[in-house]
């Protein structure tokens, strides 16, 4: 948690600019959760091994626990909260709900951020591409089967709405 | 505890900071190694110098004269997705895809994989096999170090405390050349190699030349195995020749026992993977 | 969303807020003035504590409080045997044993304070293996074990636990094993070793505790499967009246059994009370590996007598469990693994003996399907050997010996619906059992069961609101399993004729929710549907009564559907159900309608002609699994690639197929992890060598093979609507099926898991050397 904060930094999160004081070695994960109260991004290991803290920086999925907050200045940061528009889930979130991709839900924000990043760059991924894109996101509940189905369903929904 | 994070805009400024805080500073690029170490208290620098605002270090370029030049901030993903790299250095793409998972690869720098100097660093064997060198920049200017002189020990490199690695340089592959990386892990991703073997060679007129074999995770540093290369050099590619090279590589490996595998098994696998890497490299 | 009928695919009710990142898990809670907790943990596996000095830590600016054994009642706690100090006092018994807790304004200060606590130890030899523990020459871990307080039903059995470092033991005996072996044509004997593995929920354990306003009590938020258990142990350990302890489980991020033990909550609560501040403790991943309760390592001996016709006529199993430093739920565990090991064969002469011994390792306890995968790996690998020896097809061997409806389980209980052979047949077809395969490929199959834990109660309250919505108010926890958010909404919707999205759920709070034993042992849907059903019956009576008053009709004439209530003869004059609860401007209105119900499974005693010495002698109807795998083995590296898994589970009846499939898929893949990649490594001093997700390897997305999920519905004669508890069965047999497939692909046999490349290669080489 917080601790002594000495550095001012300006973060662009979900399209909004926040100026905050952080510790020099404070991770983006801690800054988002403790200072900006964006707790949708989860900590599962703090070592980059589980992917629960995955968010998007400049459109790519990255681990928030491996970035220093002050070093993320100037980058476009998107968290799971930023996918929701006017209270509506985005198609990836919707697909995870409807396809049974969610059980305990703790890995889900990170999983959705990875899936969303995949579908933005590759709207029609193969099964193997889906599996590889989610390789950094551990899930212990679902065995991933319904998560793969969710991503496929999201791809189809997004293709259909175009 | 880190007192300050610096984000210099130029490499000269970065080096000046390192000079001023010699021994008390750490360099940050992708952060995927350093931030974990900081958090665990395994490194305790007073200052951290981030290279992330030094735009010139983001460059990734290829031309036939200079070969491939990979700036210090180029991430694993950027390397893997680059068209020139895909066309001319497929071994780097294959290797990159075996490292961690996409969220780490999207942040981790290729240079950082080398600077962290883990014995199992996946990029080290293919870069060694491709005869890469690294450009180090310090107060006295630039120096170029062949990669096979860069690794000094586990987490130890030829980088001085006031230097940064600015670029990885890889020569243009010659006509008829091929390279391959074989990695043995337990899972399909997020794996530290139990053994990693890279091989490269040029095959012309049924003769192997410019053969290089590099091993990872079976010695204190990744290294080139000259005896394995020599066993192939000048010969026609054949299963028998590659098997002999595999035995030579195994004999030169010095693997340890740990929870990931025993030394005995690792050595045995060096032979198998070397043979496979050579066979793949020869058929490119 | 629409009214759901039973058996339809309905997304879980909390899915939307989870997908938005809006659900509040433990680590997301913030209370004003909250401090951060770190523990002082033993670096030694076994040592006498000579002194503890907390003065320097207490003097550090920013420290809000330090707690040791001296600050809590001089008592021991436990769920069966009271063997645990809240904080270590006389001895530490494993690496990570908690000696003190520190609360500070921020985590950094708390960590510094931990380093300032001086503990002087006198190191004792560490006992890390079960074999060592049973050797009379090794130190005794619990010198005063016989004198510990025990819950009454277990007291007599506890008196018999007198062997060296013995924690608990149990046995079942059916028929006459000696006679059975005499009748056998072949007798085969094998020994198997299974290492410790971890439940590894992605959310680590965490606790927030705050002193009650007005004093004298404490409120605990905790990532738990058993809030009422937390309340009881905390009250006992801190000598607080139980009514003054309120426990709330927020959204829980997975548990797999690892969150059904109670031990850190009272410690964190003690710190809240001493510092008179809210305190927060969230485990690091490293701590999650080091101090929570993993699955038991076991050594299992199996000996069977088989006829040349394939009939297994006698079986003798001896299970040695390394149970770690503390009793925790070992008496229950011994019962569960004993019952699991008898599965799922109809063997007339059977003897299973199980012992759990203390060692200086973390306490091992209940992890999803406790004992099931260990027993199945041993029993199934051994059964393959029986088939091989008499020259029978391995799958045929199962068909021949598996239980049928009406057969008796190991404790003599009569089995109702048995969807095992149907499952076997389906996985046989799915995996292409008899297909020709290239060199290096093979298929394997394994079967198993896991029984629902019965005999513990559940209760629920149902409220009909003014806006015609329904609230379910209960102490149940849904840590991802779907018992509350997946299955019950369909049931309630169907029973009350209201849309699923008109159902609100308030769960996991011991103060507002009626009692529940906890979400463990595949018992939840089995119990909860009955408890909620009883509440709904009560509510229906109230609806009819109030409806009759408002519609001026006889209660028997009152009906309701689609959120409306009406008189049977005049359906066009229907009024919204909520009107029966409306209060505005209605003198004498009674407000929302509330009704409660409870359920406790009837005792289902062991059958006749069996000897049973178990803490839990009776089980609910088991769910059956038949799981098949196809693998490809790299014969030079030993690397195993699983190409396909077919996983069939007999769920009795699937109320919500999405949830049932999710349990099958998730459980099966956890078992795949056990089969191939997961194991905890301890050194001979009891230190865990791989406390991270990098080196403790749970399966990842690219590791998942082609997968066929098969739901079998045998209609249990016990559970509501024919359901069985299926949270655990899917985890049982996959590791064994993979081992069987690797054996088929290589000609080697395996006496331990996981099948790492190095181990597989060593067995291939040994098999080649013996040819």
């Amino acid at each position: 948690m917080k601790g002594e904060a000495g550095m001012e930094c300006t973060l662009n999160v979900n399209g909004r600019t926040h100026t905050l004081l952080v510790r020099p070695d404070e991770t983006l994960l801690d800054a988002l959760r403790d200072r900006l109260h964006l707790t949708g991004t989860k900590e599962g290991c703090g070592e980059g091994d589980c992917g629960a803290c995955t968010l998007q920086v400049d459109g790519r999925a990255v681990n928030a626990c491996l970035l220093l907050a002050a070093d993320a200045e100037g980058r476009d940061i998107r968290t799971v909260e930023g996918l929701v528009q006017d209270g509506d889930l985005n198609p990836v979130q919707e697909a995870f709900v409807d396809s049974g991709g969610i059980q305990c839900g703790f890995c889900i924000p990170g999983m959705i951020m990875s899936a969303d990043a995949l579908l933005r760059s590759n709207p029609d991924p193969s099964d193997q591409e889906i599996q590889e894109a989610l390789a950094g996101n551990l899930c212990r509940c679902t065995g991933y089967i319904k998560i793969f189905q969710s991503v496929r369903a999201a791809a189809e929904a997004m293709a259909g709405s175009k | 505890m880190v007192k300050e994070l610096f984000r210099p805009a130029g490499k000269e400024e970065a080096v000046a900071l390192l000079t001023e805080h010699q021994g008390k500073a750490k360099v940050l690029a992708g952060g995927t190694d350093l931030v974990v170490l900081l958090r665990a208290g395994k490194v305790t620098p007073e200052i951290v110098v981030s290279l992330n605002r030094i735009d010139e270090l983001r460059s990734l370029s290829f031309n036939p004269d200079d070969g491939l030049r990979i700036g210090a901030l180029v991430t694993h993903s950027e390397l893997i997705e680059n068209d020139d790299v895909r066309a001319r250095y497929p071994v780097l793409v294959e290797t990159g895809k075996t490292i961690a998972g996409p969220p780490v690869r999207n942040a981790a720098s290729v240079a950082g994989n080398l600077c962290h100097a883990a014995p199992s660093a996946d990029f080290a064997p293919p870069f060694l096999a491709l005869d890469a060198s690294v450009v180090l920049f310090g107060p006295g200017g630039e120096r170029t170090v062949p990669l096979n002189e860069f690794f000094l020990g586990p987490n130890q490199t030829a980088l001085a405390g006031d230097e940064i690695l600015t670029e990885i340089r890889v020569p243009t592959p010659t006509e008829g050349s091929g390279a391959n990386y074989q990695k043995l892990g337990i899972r399909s991703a997020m794996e530290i190699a139990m053994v990693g073997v890279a091989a490269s060679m040029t095959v012309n007129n049924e003769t192997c030349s410019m053969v290089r074999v590099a091993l990872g995770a079976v010695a204190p540093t990744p290294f080139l195995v000259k005896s394995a290369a020599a066993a192939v050099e000048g010969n026609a590619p054949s299963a028998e020749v590659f098997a002999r090279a595999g035995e030579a590589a195994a004999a030169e490996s010095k693997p340890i026992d740990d929870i990931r595998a025993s030394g005995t098994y690792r050595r045995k696998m060096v032979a198998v993977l070397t043979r496979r890497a050579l066979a793949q490299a020869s058929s490119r | 969303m629409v009214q759901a009928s039973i058996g339809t695919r309905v997304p879980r009710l909390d899915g939307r807020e989870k997908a938005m990142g809006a659900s509040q898990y433990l680590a997301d809670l913030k209370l004003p003035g909250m401090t951060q907790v770190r523990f002082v943990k033993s670096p030694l596996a076994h040592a006498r504590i000579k002194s503890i000095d907390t003065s320097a830590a207490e003097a550090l600016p920013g420290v809000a409080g330090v707690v040791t054994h001296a600050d809590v009642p001089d008592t021991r706690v436990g769920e069966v045997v009271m063997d645990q100090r809240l904080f270590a006092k006389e001895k530490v018994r494993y690496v990570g044993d908690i000696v003190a807790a520190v609360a500070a304004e921020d985590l950094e200060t708390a960590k510094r304070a931990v380093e300032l606590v001086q503990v002087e130890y006198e190191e004792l030899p560490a006992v890390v293996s079960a074999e060592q523990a049973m050797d009379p020459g090794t130190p005794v871990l619990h010198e005063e074990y016989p004198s510990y307080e025990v819950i009454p039903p277990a007291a007599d059995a506890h008196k018999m636990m007198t062997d060296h470092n013995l924690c608990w033991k149990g046995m079942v005996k059916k028929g006459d094993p000696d006679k059975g072996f005499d009748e056998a044509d072949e007798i085969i004997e094998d020994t198997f070793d299974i290492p410790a593995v971890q439940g590894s929920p992605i959310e680590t354990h965490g606790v927030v505790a705050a002193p009650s306003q007005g004093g004298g009590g404490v409120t605990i938020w905790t990532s738990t499967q058993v809030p009422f258990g937390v309340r009881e142990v905390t009250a006992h350990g801190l000598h607080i009246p139980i009514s003054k302890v309120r426990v709330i489980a927020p959204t829980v991020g997975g548990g797999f059994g690892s969150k059904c033990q109670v031990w850190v909550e009272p410690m964190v609560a003690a710190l809240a009370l001493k510092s008179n501040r809210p305190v927060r403790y969230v485990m690091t991943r490293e701590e999650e590996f080091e101090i929570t309760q993993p699955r038991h390592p076991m050594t299992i001996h199996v000996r069977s007598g088989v006829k040349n016709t394939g009939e297994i006529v006698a079986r003798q199993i001896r299970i040695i469990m390394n149970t770690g430093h503390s009793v925790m739920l070992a008496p229950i565990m011994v019962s569960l693994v004993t019952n699991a090991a008898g599965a799922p064969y109809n063997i007339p002469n059977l003897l299973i003996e199980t012992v759990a011994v203390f060692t200086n390792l973390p306490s091992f306890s209940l992890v999803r399907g406790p004992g099931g995968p260990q027993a199945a790996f041993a029993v199934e690998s051994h059964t393959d050997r029986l088939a091989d020896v008499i020259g029978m097809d391995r799958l045929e061997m199962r068909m021949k010996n598996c239980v049928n409806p009406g057969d008796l389980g190991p404790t003599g209980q009569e089995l109702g619906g048995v969807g095992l052979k149907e499952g076997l047949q389906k996985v046989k077809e799915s995996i292409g059992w008899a297909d020709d395969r290239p060199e290096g490929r093979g298929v394997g199959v394994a079967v198993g069961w896991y029984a629902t834990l019965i005999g513990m109660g559940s209760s629920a309250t149902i409220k009909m609101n003014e806006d015609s919505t329904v609230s379910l108010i209960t102490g149940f926890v849904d840590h991802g399993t779907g018992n509350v958010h997946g299955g019950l909404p369909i049931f309630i919707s169907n029973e009350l004729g209201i849309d699923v999205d008109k159902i609100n759920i308030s769960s996991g709070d011991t103060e507002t929710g009626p009692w529940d034993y906890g979400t463990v042992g595949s018992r939840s849907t089995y119990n909860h549907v009955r408890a909620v059903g009883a509440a709904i019956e009560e509510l229906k009576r109230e609806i009819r009564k109030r409806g009759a008053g408002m519609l001026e009709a006889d209660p028997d004439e009152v009906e309701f559907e689609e959120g409306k209530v009406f008189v049977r003869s005049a359906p066009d004059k229907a009024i919204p159900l909520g009107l029966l609860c409306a209060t505005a401007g209605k003198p004498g209105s009674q407000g929302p309608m509330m009704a409660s119900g409870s359920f406790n499974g009837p005792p289902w005693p062991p059958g006749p002609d069996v000897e049973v010495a178990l803490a839990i002698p009776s089980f609910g109807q088991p769910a059956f699994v038949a799981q098949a795998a196809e693998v490809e083995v790299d014969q030079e590296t030993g690397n195993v690639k699983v190409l396909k898994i077919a996983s069939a589970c007999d769920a009795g009846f699937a109320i919500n197929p999405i949830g049932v499939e999710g349990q099958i898929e998730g459980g099966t893949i956890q078992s795949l992890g056990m089969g191939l990649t997961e194991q905890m490594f301890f050194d001979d001093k009891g230190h865990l060598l791989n406390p991270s997700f990098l080196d403790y390897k749970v399966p990842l997305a690219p590791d998942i093979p082609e997968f066929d999920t098969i739901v079998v519905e045998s209609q249990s004669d016990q559970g509501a609507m024919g359901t069985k508890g299926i949270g655990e069965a899917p985890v049982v047999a996959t590791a064994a099926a993979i081992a069987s497939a690797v054996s088929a692909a290589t000609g080697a046999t395996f006496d331990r898991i996981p099948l790492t490349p190095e181990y597989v290669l060593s067995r291939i080489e040994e098999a080649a050397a013996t040819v």
Side-chain angles (χ1 to χ4, degrees), chain C residues 229-280:
Chain C
V230 173
R231 186 175 71 145
E232 198 167 320
V233 174
T234 304
H236 181 191
L238 298 180
H239 291 185
I240 304 173
I242 194 162
S243 61
K244 296 273 189 188
V245 181
R246 177 179 184 178
V247 179
I248 301 168
T251 308
V252 179
F256 317 109
S258 77
K259 290 174 181 166
C260 71
Q261 274 70 222
V262 183
W263 88 118
V264 290
E265 288 94 346
M267 302 188 218
V268 177
L271 203 42
L273 291 170
K274 186 178 177 189
S275 65
N276 201 28
R277 296 262 301 264
V279 298
R280 171 189 190 260

Side-chain angles (χ1 to χ4, degrees), chain A residues 28-78:
Chain A
L28 180 59
L29 176 63
D30 285 345
L32 290 172
R33 290 181 52 84
D34 298 339
R35 300 189 195 275
L36 299 181
H37 308 293
L38 291 168
T39 54
T41 306
K42 303 300 180 195
E43 176 171 329
C45 71
E47 300 176 312
D49 295 332
C50 80
C53 67
T54 306
L55 40 64
Q56 293 169 5
V57 173
D58 300 332
R60 286 185 184 265
V62 299
N63 301 108
C65 73
L66 299 179
L67 290 182
L68 295 187
D71 205 30
E73 263 198 4
R75 322 229 11 211
D76 178 19
I77 299 161
R78 188 164 299 273

Side-chain angles (χ1 to χ4, degrees), chain B residues 185-192 259-262 265 268-269 272 275-276, chain C residues 634 636-637 677 681 690 693-695 697-698 700 702-703 757-758 761 765:
Chain B
I186 290 183
R187 293 183 295 189
S188 312
M190 306 300 288
E191 279 290 280
I192 306 250
I259 58 167
R260 290 170 189 145
S262 73
Y265 176 72
K268 210 181 282 180
M269 290 306 102
V272 174
R275 174 159 50 75
R276 290 181 180 181
Chain C
D634 183 329
E636 287 186 317
T637 64
T677 59
F681 295 96
N690 58 331
F693 275 140
L694 191 62
D695 282 321
K697 297 170 188 295
V698 311
L700 302 165
D703 298 317
E758 179 167 6
L761 186 67
E765 288 173 347

Side-chain angles (χ1 to χ4, degrees), chain B:
Chain B
M1 203 162 133
V2 178
K3 290 185 182 138
E4 209 160 345
L5 170 75
F6 291 96
R7 305 184 76 216
K11 58 186 184 184
E12 296 77 11
E13 196 187 334
V15 164
L17 283 162
L18 294 179
T19 309
E20 185 188 339
H21 300 272
Q22 186 117 223
K24 295 170 189 163
K26 281 280 173 191
V27 175
L28 173 73
T32 54
D33 280 318
L34 182 67
V35 175
V36 176
L37 296 173
L38 284 175
R39 188 185 159 110
K42 287 179 183 161
V43 295
T44 53
E46 282 183 12
I47 70 154
V48 170
V49 179
S50 164
L51 307 182
N52 281 301
R53 279 181 64 218
I54 308 175
D55 287 339
E56 64 173 294
L57 301 182
R58 294 195 181 281
S59 74
L60 173 59
S61 67
F62 172 81
N63 68 61
D65 295 336
D66 297 334
L68 182 67
R69 297 189 165 199
I70 305 166
L73 292 175
V74 172
T75 65
H76 288 44
S77 296
E78 286 162 352
L79 186 79
I80 293 170
E81 293 164 12
N82 182 274
D83 288 338
D84 288 316
V85 176
R86 293 167 83 101
R88 293 166 195 274
Y89 304 90
V91 64
L92 295 179
V93 178
E94 289 158 12
T95 304
K97 283 185 163 182
T98 72
I99 299 175
V104 168
R105 293 202 293 266
N106 286 336
S109 67
V110 178
N113 188 261
L114 301 182
C115 290
H116 185 59
S120 59
D122 284 300
F123 268 129
F127 277 125
L128 284 167
L130 294 174
D131 200 18
S133 54
V134 291
V135 179
L136 311 184
F137 180 79
E142 232 175 57
R143 61 183 178 121
T144 303
V145 177
L147 191 61
N148 66 351
E149 292 169 21
F150 181 68
F151 301 113
L152 303 181
N155 309 115
Q156 287 177 323
T157 67
L159 265 174
D162 54 5
E163 280 182 318
I164 58 172
L165 188 159
T166 53
E167 197 168 85
I168 303 165
R169 293 184 178 169
V170 194
T172 302
T174 55
E175 199 64 37
S177 72
N180 182 255
Y181 179 59
Q182 295 281 323
K183 172 176 179 173
L184 192 63
I186 290 183
R187 293 183 295 189
S188 312
M190 306 300 288
E191 279 290 280
I192 306 250
M194 284 189 272
V195 178
V197 181
S200 73
M201 70 173 79
T202 300
V203 184
N204 278 323
N205 304 322
E206 279 300 291
T207 306
C208 306
S209 62
M210 291 161 59
V211 183
R212 298 169 76 92
V213 176
L215 307 184
V218 289
T221 67
F223 69 105
L224 280 170
V225 214
K226 302 232 163 61
S227 60
V232 180
E233 190 78 37
N235 287 303
S238 75
E240 197 187 28
V241 165
F242 298 153
R244 217 158 48 223
E247 295 307 324
E252 279 198 43
S253 67
K254 300 179 253 331
I256 55 163
D257 291 330
D258 66 15
I259 58 167
R260 290 170 189 145
S262 73
T264 313
Y265 176 72
R266 283 189 160 109
R267 179 172 287 121
K268 210 181 282 180
M269 290 306 102
V270 168
V272 174
L273 300 194
T274 300
R275 174 159 50 75
R276 290 181 180 181
L278 285 164
Q280 289 286 324
S282 73
S283 62
R284 283 259 158 79

Side-chain angles (χ1 to χ4, degrees), chain C residues 220-358:
Chain C
I220 299 170
W221 292 261
T222 174
S223 179
T224 187
Q225 298 169 230
V226 290
F228 289 91
V230 173
R231 186 175 71 145
E232 198 167 320
V233 174
T234 304
H236 181 191
L238 298 180
H239 291 185
I240 304 173
I242 194 162
S243 61
K244 296 273 189 188
V245 181
R246 177 179 184 178
V247 179
I248 301 168
T251 308
V252 179
F256 317 109
S258 77
K259 290 174 181 166
C260 71
Q261 274 70 222
V262 183
W263 88 118
V264 290
E265 288 94 346
M267 302 188 218
V268 177
L271 203 42
L273 291 170
K274 186 178 177 189
S275 65
N276 201 28
R277 296 262 301 264
V279 298
R280 171 189 190 260
Y281 170 64
V282 177
M283 262 183 210
T284 63
R285 179 56 57 184
E286 189 177 16
E287 285 177 319
E288 184 76 21
F289 277 110
E290 287 178 337
I291 67 172
T292 70
Q293 295 77 26
R295 190 183 285 281
H296 283 82
M298 293 186 189
T299 299
I300 303 179
H301 306 279
V302 195
R303 181 169 171 253
S304 297
V306 64
K307 295 262 206 190
N308 285 330
T309 51
E311 197 185 347
I312 305 171
V313 287
R315 180 166 279 176
Q316 198 177 342
I317 301 175
R318 181 169 161 78
I319 301 170
I320 300 162
M321 297 166 35
N322 179 336
T323 210
H325 70 95
S326 166
V327 180
M328 293 249 168
L329 297 167
I332 294 174
M333 179 67 207
V334 166
S335 308
L336 297 176
V337 69
T338 304
N339 190 52
Y345 296 106
N346 191 20
I347 301 173
N349 305 294
L350 182 68
L351 172 65
I352 308 174
E353 296 166 292
T354 303
V355 298
V357 296
F358 290 120

Side-chain angles (χ1 to χ4, degrees), chain C residues 110-193:
Chain C
K111 284 183 202 166
R112 276 205 298 279
V114 162
E115 283 162 23
L116 294 175
V117 174
Q118 300 290 319
V119 186
E120 202 184 336
Y121 298 102
E122 177 193 329
E123 188 168 1
L124 299 168
V127 178
V128 296
S129 73
E131 198 181 356
Q132 278 178 302
M134 291 185 291
D135 174 352
T138 55
V140 174
L141 269 71
H142 289 270
E143 294 88 343
E144 297 164 51
Y145 190 55
S147 71
Y148 290 167
E149 191 191 335
V150 184
I151 60 167
D156 285 345
H158 176 248
K159 290 196 187 82
M160 295 161 64
M161 307 304 159
T162 51
D163 294 354
H164 194 70
N165 281 321
L166 176 67
C167 168
W168 209 263
K169 66 182 177 183
M171 74 90 149
V172 295
K173 186 177 177 189
K174 189 173 146 185
D176 184 343
D178 290 341
K179 190 165 146 277
F181 281 109
D182 286 345
E183 290 168 5
D185 292 321
E186 298 278 353
I187 295 174
I188 308 287
E189 194 168 349
D190 290 302
T191 300
F192 301 89
D193 277 301

Side-chain angles (χ1 to χ4, degrees), chain A residues 84-89, chain C residues 16:
Chain A
V84 180
Q85 297 289 329
D86 301 325
D88 290 334
L89 306 191
Chain C
R16 195 180 152 80

